[in-house]
Amino acid sequence: MSEDTATVGADGQGPRSTPHLPATPLLSRIHRPGDLHRLTSEEVEALAAEIRRYLVATVARTGGHLGPNLGVVELTLALHRTFRSPRDTIVFDTGHQAYVHKLLTGRQDFSRLRERGGVSGYPSRRESIHDVVENSHASTALSWADGIARANHLQGRDQRHIVAVIGDGALTGGMAWEALNNIADSADKHLVIVVNDNGRSYAPTIGGLAHHLDALRTNPGYERMLAGVKHTLLAQGAPGRAAFEALHGLKRGLKDILVPSAFFEDLGIKYTGPVDGHDETALEFALTRAREYAEPVIVHVITQKGRGYTPAEEDPADRFHAVGRIHPETGLPVVPSRFGWTAVVAKELLALARGDERIVGITAAMQQPVGLQPLADALPERVIDVGIAEQHALTCAAGMAFAGMHPVVALYATFLNRAFDQVLMDVGLHRAGVTILLDRAGITGTDGASHNGMWDMALLAHVPGLRLAAPRDEATLRQALAVAVGVDDAPTVVRYPKGSLPAPLPALRTVGEEDVPFGAVDVLLEAVGGPAAPTDGVAAAGPLLLVGVGAMAAASLDAGRRLAAEGIGVRVVSPRWPVPVPPALVEMARECRGVLVVEDGLVDGGVGSQLRDAVEDAALSDGVGTFPRVARLGVPRSFLPTASRDELLADFGMDLAGIWAAARRLAGCPARPGTGRSSAV
C-alpha cells in the first residue's frame, strides 16, 4: 500500500488523507500462513513488532478493537506456524481478536477497516477461506469446534486439527461449559483449546473461574515447590517420610486451589500451561505438543491486553478494548466524545438509584460500555457483573425482583437475543419488575452483521405484559428511565441507539393523556395543508400520519416539514412506548389518509406491522370496510453488510430523502426524479 494513499471517509465526505504508515518489510512478504515457515526466529520476533506498529497506526485512523489484538500477536503467529490453516480449522471466539489472523492470511490493507468495501472487524467467510465463525457473540467457539471435530471424525478426516481460541472473558459464558462437558466425553478428536487468559473481557474478568486463573498466575512454581518439599522430607528418614505421606494426601486439594490442571482434567480434558503468551518459542513448543496429542487438550496462555502500546497498557478501564479514531502517539481521541445516549443513562440511573434503594444494576461483562460504571463507583454493592452470561443475568434479575429489589439489566441490544427465553419464561411469565436497558439498539453498522441491535422490538412484542420505550431525545430518555424503574409488576424495556444525542424534539401536544405514560403519543408536527390524492380504497380525508419510532423521529420530522412545505397535509408523531401499540396511535391512524411508520428495527413484525394489524382489527371490529394503508420503513429481514449507520439508513430508504419519497408516494403525489430508492412496504 502506498504511503500517500487517499481514501474516502466513512461519512462519504470525500477523500481523507492517510498518514504515513510504518514500513512492513516482513509483513509484506506474508501472503498466506505457509509463508511464515520461511522466517527465522529472529525474523518472527521482528515481524511481531512490525504487526504491532501497523495495528496502532491503522486502527488509530479507523477505530476498532485495538487492545485485544495487540495482546495476541505472538499467539496468532504461533498458531499459524504450528497448524495448517485452512486444512486445520482455527476458530476465534468473539472474533474481535482476529486482526492479526487477517494480516497473516492475505488481508493487509486496513485503510478501510470496518468500513464499506474494506476489511470487516470480525472474521468473514466472504473475505477468506481461513475465516470460519462470523458471529461475534461470545462463548460459542468451543461448540463450533466440537461440531467440526465430530464431523471430521465421522467423515474419516481424523488427521485434521481444530483449534478454538477462547478468552477475553468468554469462559464466563455458560455455553462454553456446556461444550466442555461434551468435548470431554469424546476423546477421539484432534481438538486444541487455547485459553487466551488476559484476565479481562472489556474490563477485568469477573467470576469464580477468573479468580481461579488469577491464583494460577501467582503460583507458577507449584510443582517445583512440591518437588523441593518431597526431596527435603524424604532425606530426613522415617519422620520425614511420615510427614511427606501426610502432605501428599493434601496434594489433590492443594492442586485444586493453585493449579487448574486438576480443574480441567477432572472434566477429562488434558491441560498444559501456563505458557507465556508473548514468548514465541514457548508458545510453539506447547502448541506442537498439543497438536501431537490424540485427545482434546487445553493450552493455557497468559497474555497482556494492549501489549506493546503504552497508552493501552496504562489504561485501567479496558486497555483500549475498542477505540474510535485516536492520535497514535498519545492514544487520545481525534474528536472528543460528545454527550451521548449512554452518558445520559449513566447519570440518570445513578440519580434514580440514590433515591430508591431497591434499584440494582446488572451487567454481562460490560459495566463501563453500557453506563453502569458511575453507579458501580458510587454504590459498588448495587452493581453485579455476572460475566458474559446474559441468560443468567435475566433469570437472576427475576429472582431479585421476587425478593423485593428492582433490577436494571443493561446490555447491548444485540446480546439480548441470547436470553430471549429467560425474558419470556422467567421475567415475563412471572410478571417480574425488571427493567432492561438496550444500548446500541437499531443499526450500529461498522461492527458487522451480528452486532446490529435490530431484532428487539419484533422479538419483545411477543412477551405478554412487556412494555418497551423508544425515546427520541434526552428528555424522553430520562422520562422513560424514571417510568421504567417504577413498574414492579411487569418487565419494562428502554432502547436507545449508539452515538450522540439529537437536538431536543419537543412535543406540540400529547394524545392519549388518559393512558399516560404508556399510551402517550407525542405530536411533533401538524400541518393541515391542501388536498392530496387518496390511496386506493381509502376515503380522501385527513392528513398523512408519519410515525417516527425512537431514534427515527428526527428524520421523520424533517420529512414532515418538507411535505408541509409542498402543501401536503401531514402529522408527525412519536409514541413514547410503542410496544404494545398505544390505543391512541391506532385511533390517530384510522383518522388519516395513510400511515408511514419509520423504525430503527426489523420491519417484519416490528412496530409498523403491529400498528397495521391493530388498525385492521379495529376496523373489522367496528364493521368498517375501509381503513388507511399502513406503510412501513425499517430494517429488512437480512444480515446487514458492514457499512456506516448513515450508509445503511440510506440503502433502506430510512434517511430524510427516503422517508420523504415514501410519504409522497403514499399520498399519491407524482414521483420526482431521483426519489425512487425508498422501499416502503
Side-chain angles (χ1 to χ4, degrees):
M1 180 173 54
S2 172
E3 290 187 349
D4 59 356
T5 300
T7 59
V8 176
D11 54 6
Q13 297 300 312
R16 180 176 68 227
S17 61
T18 300
H20 291 289
L21 297 177
T24 56
L26 288 169
L27 181 59
S28 62
R29 290 162 46 188
I30 308 302
H31 305 292
R32 59 191 61 83
D35 294 338
L36 292 169
H37 298 289
R38 295 196 294 267
L39 301 182
T40 66
S41 298
E42 291 77 13
E43 287 176 323
V44 172
E45 184 176 349
L47 175 59
E50 257 185 39
I51 289 173
R52 282 197 170 89
R53 290 193 296 270
Y54 184 76
L55 286 174
V56 170
T58 55
V59 177
R61 196 182 64 83
T62 63
H65 288 95
L66 183 56
N69 288 285
L70 293 174
V72 297
V73 175
E74 290 85 2
L75 174 57
T76 310
L77 286 167
L79 286 169
H80 279 297
R81 281 170 58 87
T82 305
F83 297 94
R84 301 293 184 266
S85 178
R87 182 177 184 273
D88 296 331
T89 303
I90 302 175
V91 178
F92 288 90
D93 201 288
T94 311
H96 62 241
Q97 54 191 332
Y99 289 10
V100 184
H101 164 78
K102 287 175 180 270
L103 292 173
L104 300 179
T105 53
R107 290 163 284 177
Q108 295 176 8
D109 182 1
F110 275 25
S111 63
R112 297 185 65 82
L113 176 68
R114 300 169 68 247
E115 296 177 7
R116 172 169 282 174
V119 175
S120 66
Y122 293 93
S124 169
R125 291 183 180 181
R126 287 173 293 181
E127 289 180 4
S128 174
I129 194 174
H130 298 278
D131 289 4
V132 178
V133 180
E134 300 186 19
N135 175 13
S136 54
H137 289 190
S139 308
T140 65
L142 300 186
S143 296
W144 273 95
D146 185 31
I148 295 168
R150 290 177 186 273
N152 281 350
H153 177 66
L154 290 171
Q155 297 176 80
R157 298 195 293 252
D158 288 323
Q159 297 310 306
R160 298 190 179 188
H161 290 81
I162 300 89
V163 184
V165 182
I166 186 168
D168 232 2
L171 269 177
T172 61
M175 187 174 173
W177 293 94
E178 295 175 22
L180 280 173
N181 183 55
N182 280 272
I183 289 169
D185 191 45
S186 179
D188 57 354
K189 297 175 286 195
H190 292 286
L191 198 162
V192 177
I193 300 168
V194 176
V195 176
N196 172 28
D197 179 11
N198 59 19
R200 309 176 75 87
S201 47
Y202 284 82
T205 303
I206 301 298
L209 176 63
H211 294 310
H212 193 86
L213 297 178
D214 280 342
L216 172 66
R217 281 193 290 271
T218 60
N219 291 274
Y222 166 79
E223 293 292 350
R224 292 194 299 273
M225 176 272 292
L226 189 66
V229 170
K230 177 180 179 180
H231 181 270
T232 301
L233 291 177
L234 292 182
Q236 295 178 6
R241 284 194 297 273
F244 173 75
E245 291 298 329
L247 286 175
H248 188 69
L250 296 175
K251 176 181 178 180
R252 187 68 175 182
L254 184 61
K255 201 168 187 180
D256 281 343
I257 296 172
L258 299 181
V259 182
S261 61
F263 186 73
F264 290 112
E265 287 174 359
D266 280 346
L267 293 172
I269 303 176
K270 187 69 175 176
Y271 168 93
T272 183
V275 182
D276 183 348
H278 304 294
D279 184 330
E280 184 71 26
T281 301
L283 282 168
E284 291 186 28
F285 179 74
L287 291 172
T288 300
R289 290 180 61 195
R291 184 190 65 196
E292 300 305 318
Y293 196 66
E295 294 181 8
V297 184
I298 288 176
V299 181
H300 184 186
V301 178
I302 308 296
T303 63
Q304 181 186 9
K305 198 168 185 175
R307 174 86 170 193
Y309 183 45
T310 301
E313 291 179 346
E314 295 180 350
D315 176 37
D318 63 5
R319 302 285 175 85
F320 280 33
H321 177 86
V323 296
R325 296 179 186 175
I326 59 174
H327 295 286
E329 300 83 5
T330 63
L332 296 174
V334 172
V335 179
S337 299
R338 290 183 286 178
F339 195 59
W341 296 87
T342 306
V344 173
V345 169
K347 185 175 181 179
E348 189 69 16
L349 188 58
L350 176 57
L352 291 168
R354 289 189 189 279
D356 186 346
E357 294 182 352
R358 300 174 310 124
I359 293 176
V360 58
I362 300 177
T363 179
M366 301 180 70
Q367 189 165 281
Q368 184 173 11
V370 297
L372 288 185
Q373 194 62 51
L375 178 58
D377 292 340
L379 303 168
E381 73 284 357
R382 304 265 294 278
V383 173
I384 302 166
D385 188 341
V386 300
I388 302 177
E390 290 84 2
Q391 291 174 294
H392 170 62
L394 268 299
T395 302
C396 175
M400 296 189 76
F402 169 76
M405 303 296 286
H406 190 102
V408 178
V409 182
L411 307 169
Y412 279 6
T414 180
F415 297 135
L416 182 69
N417 303 347
R418 297 151 60 96
F420 176 72
D421 183 67
Q422 287 66 37
V423 174
L424 181 66
M425 293 298 174
D426 292 319
V427 178
L429 176 63
H430 297 91
R431 301 192 62 83
V434 173
T435 294
I436 304 170
L437 304 183
L438 296 183
D439 202 321
R440 303 197 180 197
I443 297 173
T444 57
T446 55
D447 284 328
S450 62
H451 261 51
N452 288 301
M454 55 192 259
W455 317 95
D456 57 308
M457 289 189 288
L459 274 175
L460 295 175
H462 295 288
V463 180
L466 180 144
R467 300 181 179 98
L468 181 145
R472 64 182 181 270
D473 58 10
E474 180 177 349
T476 53
L477 175 58
R478 292 183 185 276
Q479 181 185 63
L481 288 170
V483 170
V485 298
V487 177
D488 292 324
D489 60 352
T492 53
V493 179
V494 181
R495 76 185 309 264
Y496 43 94
K498 176 182 179 180
S500 57
L501 286 157
L505 298 170
L508 300 177
R509 62 188 178 92
T510 299
V511 180
E513 294 285 3
E514 70 282 356
D515 192 22
V516 171
F518 302 113
V521 179
D522 291 331
V523 179
L524 307 183
L525 174 70
E526 285 189 294
V528 175
T535 55
D536 293 341
V538 181
L544 288 177
L545 180 67
L546 266 60
V547 183
V549 179
M552 302 310 301
S556 299
L557 178 58
D558 289 341
R561 287 169 175 159
R562 182 178 291 188
L563 293 168
E566 297 181 68
I568 298 174
V570 62
R571 177 182 292 150
V572 181
V573 301
S574 172
R576 298 182 201 170
W577 294 79
V579 177
V581 176
L585 183 60
V586 177
E587 292 307 310
M588 293 176 74
R590 295 182 66 188
E591 297 169 357
C592 289
R593 175 182 308 282
V595 183
L596 179 62
V597 179
V598 188
E599 56 190 303
D600 189 10
L602 199 65
V603 70
D604 292 333
V607 174
S609 297
Q610 296 161 47
L611 177 60
R612 178 193 59 195
D613 293 346
V615 167
E616 293 182 5
D617 289 346
L620 292 173
S621 177
D622 292 345
V624 178
T626 59
F627 41 82
R629 178 187 173 194
V630 178
R632 300 160 293 142
L633 279 175
V635 183
R637 191 192 306 178
S638 62
F639 295 110
L640 308 186
T642 298
S644 72
R645 174 181 166 85
D646 287 344
E647 287 171 333
L648 291 171
L649 288 175
D651 288 347
F652 306 144
M654 296 168 60
D655 59 351
L656 168 59
I659 298 169
W660 171 71
R664 293 186 86 256
R665 286 197 299 273
L666 185 61
C669 298
R672 293 189 174 185
T675 64
R677 60 183 174 79
S678 176
S679 56
V681 295

